[in-house]
Amino acid sequence: MLRPRIQTGANLFQLIKAICREAEEEGKQLFRLSIGQPTGPAFLSARVKAAELIMSDEEKWHEYQDNGCVIPNFAQRFVQAHVPTTRFDQFGERLAYLPIPGIKSMLEIVIMACLHGLPPMEKPLRVYTTTKPGYPTPADQCRYLEDNGAQVRHQALETNPGNQFRFDPEDLNVIGSSLVMTNYPSNPTGQVASREYWKALCAYCELYGLRLFNDAAYAALPHTNEHCTLAAVAVDYPNLSWIEAYSGSKIGNFTGWRVGAMVGSADFIADVANVKGNSDSGFNAALAGGILHVLEHDRESLDATRRLYTGRTELLTNVLQEYGLELAVQPQAGFFTLWQCPKRAFGQVIENSEEFNRLMIMKTGIVGVHFNPYMRYAVCGDVEAMIGPITEGFKEANVSYK
């Protein structure tokens, strides 16, 4: 009987790669539903535009961008492309914008911006995150800061199938200065925040003086009309301190280009810009021009990618449900599906999702990512080409929740 090999402190993805190497050494063909980023090259239209700009002799395309960008109103245009239904120009100086080198590197800066300048009597800064399950970086950054003596206290908010992976604002239990860091649309759940959900959360945060930050890396890839950005709602709360961040990484394979932008209340953006300006030198302007070109002039490529993920998600979901796997939540955006870990598979009791993932890899070659008690299967790979072996694999697994 195969049991999980416990590797204390091992990076989750390194552990999965090690299991995959073991399976390949035994001659197993792998079907990687673990890939969590777009595949293939960046859109041609973006590469052509970026190449044009990178070949320019003008110095401005080759120098530090810092907290700005040589492209006029880049950040505002980038944001507007993600929230086309909102006219941001009507809010004037209440709002501000900031170009950023992707979102991941900004998460620590957002926390530091909230911590910096707090008077001693208002510390520690309490940071609430949607990281259980979820994209772990905000929690990791809090841990690194706290371990090194910073006055930061982290709490992962309770999200589960019972609340559809959208926490109740009342769970925040406000004590002192606080920052709420959300991730909608969500990795790994595929859940979105609705307009009504954002209204409730914005009202709560405004009432109690909490700062609100949303990582909206998947905002351009919704499957349903329920998806709503924080920015579309937060603009109606003049006393709310908030930011929403968008990234070019997921709209096609721009993961290595590191281009994005933020919008938010002027006070919060100013604090982030202050820390960022002392922490990095900005992004590559030519690459930023390539991605902005897609957002403004090549929506066809973007929409085709969104439809591709929507179709693959539907296909994979139908097959896995047919063979007994139960969704943790219906995916509504992005390219992830999250499943309840079964209690039995291959005729044996399953102790946790790591064990189930190892069994699936070693016996069927199907690779997922375990977020105990859940399994994440992504649709970045060619699901259509793999659907036959995937079907046979889950048929063989004969999963059960009894």
Side-chain angles (χ1 to χ4, degrees):
M1 181 181 297
L2 292 169
R3 292 297 179 193
R5 299 178 182 178
I6 305 301
Q7 297 184 20
T8 304
N11 176 278
L12 172 61
F13 294 96
Q14 292 174 351
L15 174 60
I16 293 170
K17 287 178 180 178
I19 299 171
C20 288
R21 284 194 299 271
E22 182 181 345
E24 287 179 316
E25 288 171 0
E26 295 183 7
K28 183 66 67 177
Q29 181 181 0
L30 299 184
F31 307 98
R32 299 181 187 274
L33 299 180
S34 55
I35 299 173
Q37 68 178 55
T39 56
F43 296 148
L44 179 60
S45 62
R47 287 181 279 150
V48 169
K49 185 63 177 180
E52 171 194 327
L53 299 176
I54 210 75
M55 290 302 294
S56 171
D57 290 334
E58 293 186 78
E59 184 178 340
K60 64 183 181 180
W61 295 105
H62 309 283
E63 61 188 6
Y64 290 137
Q65 301 297 301
D66 297 312
N67 280 350
C69 182
V70 66
I71 301 169
N73 300 315
F74 169 83
Q76 185 169 356
R77 292 162 64 184
F78 193 95
V79 168
Q80 190 70 70
H82 283 81
V83 197
T85 57
T86 301
R87 282 191 53 222
F88 291 105
D89 55 357
Q90 65 184 309
F91 297 101
E93 294 182 355
R94 274 179 46 198
L95 298 185
Y97 308 86
L98 185 66
I100 58 174
I103 297 176
K104 188 172 187 177
S105 61
M106 294 300 301
L107 297 175
E108 180 185 13
I109 289 176
V110 168
I111 298 168
M112 291 293 294
C114 294
L115 182 63
H116 179 66
L118 275 182
M121 69 284 296
E122 293 188 24
K123 294 179 180 179
L125 172 72
R126 299 184 181 276
V127 182
Y128 299 90
T129 68
T130 52
T131 55
K132 191 180 177 182
Y135 186 59
T137 303
D140 291 340
Q141 295 297 343
C142 287
R143 176 166 53 86
Y144 297 148
L145 289 167
E146 188 171 354
D147 286 350
N148 285 281
Q151 291 294 299
V152 173
R153 301 293 181 269
H154 170 254
Q155 179 180 331
L157 295 160
E158 185 66 28
T159 63
N160 52 51
N163 60 20
Q164 289 291 289
F165 294 91
R166 292 189 288 220
F167 65 91
D168 186 331
E170 296 291 337
D171 293 343
L172 296 171
N173 187 29
V174 181
I175 304 174
S177 300
S178 301
L179 166 66
V180 182
M181 302 183 78
T182 58
N183 171 213
Y184 294 112
S186 166
N187 170 9
T189 69
Q191 180 59 287
V192 300
S194 65
R195 180 172 290 274
E196 291 307 312
Y197 181 78
W198 281 132
K199 284 181 178 180
L201 185 54
C202 287
Y204 189 95
C205 290
E206 184 181 56
L207 177 63
Y208 290 102
L210 282 67
R211 281 187 151 172
L212 178 57
F213 170 86
N214 185 49
D215 173 350
Y218 301 92
L221 299 173
H223 305 324
T224 70
N225 292 329
E226 187 176 2
H227 159 67
C228 179
T229 60
L230 168 62
V233 174
V235 290
D236 294 326
Y237 293 80
N239 297 314
L240 176 66
S241 188
W242 65 278
I243 285 177
E244 186 160 62
Y246 311 93
S247 170
S249 294
K250 309 303 190 299
I251 66 173
N253 192 0
F254 296 99
T255 51
W257 291 37
R258 312 311 303 143
V259 172
M262 290 178 165
V263 62
S265 57
D267 65 306
F268 200 172
I269 291 286
D271 288 348
V272 170
N274 180 45
V275 178
K276 178 186 177 299
N278 290 297
S279 304
D280 72 34
S281 300
F283 53 35
N284 182 297
L287 298 182
I291 294 181
L292 187 62
H293 179 80
V294 170
L295 291 172
E296 294 186 336
H297 303 289
D298 188 14
R299 298 294 299 191
E300 181 179 348
S301 292
L302 175 56
D303 290 341
T305 298
R306 178 185 53 78
R307 290 193 299 269
L308 176 67
Y309 291 141
T310 299
R312 286 179 176 176
T313 298
E314 182 177 353
L315 175 61
L316 183 67
T317 298
N318 288 341
V319 168
L320 269 56
Q321 286 182 317
E322 180 181 355
Y323 287 94
L325 215 60
E326 295 180 0
L327 276 170
V329 65
Q330 184 68 39
Q332 298 191 76
F335 37 67
F336 297 122
T337 64
L338 194 71
W339 304 84
Q340 300 273 21
C341 180
K343 294 182 178 179
R344 295 186 65 86
F346 303 101
Q348 68 182 66
V349 174
I350 300 299
E351 292 186 358
N352 54 45
S353 59
E354 180 182 334
E355 178 180 20
F356 178 68
N357 198 23
R358 172 179 284 276
L359 282 166
M360 289 299 296
I361 295 170
M362 300 302 294
K363 287 181 174 291
T364 72
I366 298 172
V367 186
V369 177
H370 46 273
F371 290 88
N372 199 54
Y374 311 107
M375 281 295 306
R376 188 191 82 182
Y377 290 115
V379 297
C380 296
D382 190 346
V383 173
E384 294 86 351
M386 296 187 288
I387 203 63
I390 290 170
T391 300
E392 291 302 314
F394 276 94
K395 183 179 180 179
E396 179 186 352
N398 190 27
V399 303
S400 170
Y401 292 85
K402 296 180 181 179

